[in-house]
Amino acid sequence: MFDLTALNTFALPATAQRLLRLQSCADAQAFVARRGREAALIVGGGSNLLLTGAAIELVLKVEIRGRRKVSEDAAAVIVEAGAGENWHDFVRWTLTQGWPGLENLSLIPGTVGAAPIQNIGAYGLEVSERIEALDAMDLGTGELRQFDAAACRFSYRDSVFKHAPGRWLVTAVRFRLPRRWQPLTHYGDIERELGAQGIAAPTPRQISDAIIAIRRRKLPDPAVLGSAGSFFKNPVVDQAACAGLLARYPALPHYPQADGREKLAAGWLIEQCGWRGQRRGAAGCYDKQALVLVNHGGATGAEVLALADAIRADVRAKFDLELEIEPVVV
Ligand SMILES: Cc1cc2nc3c(=O)[nH]c(=O)nc-3n(C[C@H](O)[C@H](O)[C@H](O)COP(=O)(O)OP(=O)(O)OC[C@H]3O[C@@H](n4cnc5c(N)ncnc54)[C@H](O)[C@@H]3O)c2cc1C
């Protein structure tokens, strides 16, 4: 039996019968060659998992390392990283190399290989905007296949991989970092943070530093307070639904999307229902950001799900909106 409590940032109790560390593609191929019928859960940094305590047979812990420049031309630098590389360390390394483009995704926990799974995003950028291609192994056959960005079918916190859990093991990701760098500072508090430091024309590293500072203030440090970050996706609604809500709630934050729909802030909706800072047993709604559910110590996955259900019911009753859980429920 392998205790998974320390392997998920929510610190939820769960065990697996076996844990296999994959440090190379050859490790993964050897696993496929001898695997039986056991179901495997792929784990990177465990920062987007909600473990309910259900019996897990096998955990495949992805620890494939390595990062390198693949090529460059006048337009972009192509950089590759192994799936087991720490995401934030990789982002900072690209900045040190003088290849900006990922700085808005600084300090997101987890691994490079998991970043495409839910198309991580923050501060106005989704990782899909920087992915050139990735390599993934079919755990049924051992075939290593390249997916270009189109084949990944990215959308908001979603990809083709999220719909086939356990089938594809991402082994490496290649990023296209454009040479013509454009600062992306209009989102959230970035401009205010830079302004407070007297920075008018920020460098990529200064944007990264500003985002790190903002995130440290707003989000719980998993080493201190367990969480999986944002617990619900922001609902995306059509214009008519948004207008109807705005008529009743003029302060409703809403962000126009490329497809003409509007993204609403789930955290605001939850806060309006009075949940910010509330607790149900050891599970709670974070007092600095209502979108984050936390484990105050000793919570189980079932307790977190019960809290989530209560929040969803209140949001449904007040706004007639359905909140979708963001982390992968195991
Ligand atoms: C404090 C905090 C803040 C966060 N902020 C953000 C944020 O701003 N934006 C955001 O998008 N997310 C955020 N997250 C969520 C999380 O960090 C990301 O989803 C991250 O990409 C998860 O990486 P991981 O390695 O921990 O994945 P895990 O939790 O280990 O796995 C997540 C899913 O990906 C699968 N998976 C993992 N590795 C692989 C692989 N190599 N191949 C195939 N499947 C794989 C797993 O099976 C699982 O389904 C936050 C989380 C926390 C705790």
Side-chain angles (χ1 to χ4, degrees):
M1 278 294 181
F2 202 95
D3 186 358
L4 300 176
T5 315
L7 285 190
N8 73 98
T9 59
F10 233 132
L12 298 171
T15 54
Q17 279 169 26
R18 284 200 307 132
L19 183 136
L20 188 62
R21 295 178 191 278
L22 303 177
Q23 289 171 339
S24 63
C25 281
D27 283 356
Q29 246 134 12
F31 159 71
V32 173
R34 61 168 195 270
R35 92 178 281 191
R37 291 184 169 277
E38 65 209 322
L41 171 68
I42 304 168
V43 174
S47 63
N48 207 31
L49 296 178
L50 184 99
L51 302 179
T52 59
I56 298 171
E57 288 182 70
L58 171 67
V59 163
L60 297 177
K61 178 91 168 60
V62 183
E63 297 179 349
I64 302 170
R65 306 296 301 268
R67 49 196 192 191
R68 67 186 178 106
K69 179 171 81 183
V70 177
S71 63
E72 66 183 306
D73 57 27
V77 181
I78 308 295
V79 185
E80 181 184 83
E85 288 287 334
N86 175 275
W87 173 258
H88 175 68
D89 291 350
F90 170 67
V91 171
R92 294 294 285 192
W93 175 77
T94 58
L95 296 179
T96 307
Q97 301 299 310
W99 305 324
L102 295 172
E103 57 279 357
N104 286 52
L105 304 179
S106 294
L107 211 64
I108 296 182
T111 54
V112 166
I117 305 297
Q118 77 147 359
N119 182 19
I120 57 169
Y123 295 96
L125 182 71
E126 289 187 340
V127 76
S128 56
E129 296 169 66
R130 299 284 183 265
I131 289 182
E132 169 82 352
L134 59 79
D135 298 331
M137 187 177 293
D138 184 333
L139 290 181
T141 63
E143 176 209 358
L144 196 60
R145 183 168 139 192
Q146 173 170 297
F147 289 74
D148 62 17
C152 294
R153 282 197 247 130
F154 290 121
S155 61
Y156 169 56
R157 297 297 174 274
D158 203 8
S159 72
V160 69
F161 308 105
K162 232 182 156 177
H163 298 275
R167 171 163 182 201
W168 295 103
L169 181 106
V170 175
T171 58
V173 185
R174 284 177 289 288
F175 301 87
R176 167 174 286 271
L177 305 178
R179 287 241 179 249
R180 192 182 300 177
W181 176 72
Q182 299 270 12
L184 203 57
T185 55
H186 61 277
Y187 200 93
D189 294 336
I190 304 177
E191 273 166 4
R192 199 176 315 151
E193 180 72 25
L194 291 166
Q197 295 172 35
I199 300 169
T203 63
R205 182 177 282 271
Q206 284 171 326
I207 293 176
S208 173
D209 289 343
I211 287 170
I212 291 170
I214 299 166
R215 292 183 66 101
R216 287 212 167 112
R217 279 200 302 273
K218 281 174 64 171
L219 292 168
D221 175 356
V224 181
L225 191 60
S227 88
S230 303
F231 195 85
F232 300 102
K233 289 188 186 182
N234 291 314
V236 181
V237 299
D238 62 28
Q239 293 270 348
C242 186
L245 283 164
L246 275 170
R248 283 159 60 208
Y249 306 100
L252 175 84
H254 58 107
Y255 307 94
Q257 301 299 289
D259 62 4
R261 295 187 298 161
E262 299 276 342
K263 190 188 276 183
L264 309 178
W268 186 88
L269 302 169
I270 296 166
E271 198 170 336
Q272 298 308 302
C273 295
W275 276 105
R276 184 152 76 94
Q278 297 297 313
R279 284 175 72 145
R280 279 277 174 98
C285 187
Y286 191 46
D287 58 358
K288 295 190 189 118
Q289 168 54 272
L291 191 52
V292 177
L293 300 193
V294 293
N295 177 358
H296 286 289
T300 61
E303 270 181 286
V304 175
L305 279 180
L307 171 65
D309 281 347
I311 292 172
R312 294 172 81 195
D314 282 0
V315 169
R316 194 180 302 123
K318 193 171 170 77
F319 299 102
D320 195 22
L321 288 170
E322 206 54 51
L323 289 185
E324 196 184 327
I325 292 178
E326 187 190 291
V328 176
V329 179
V330 182

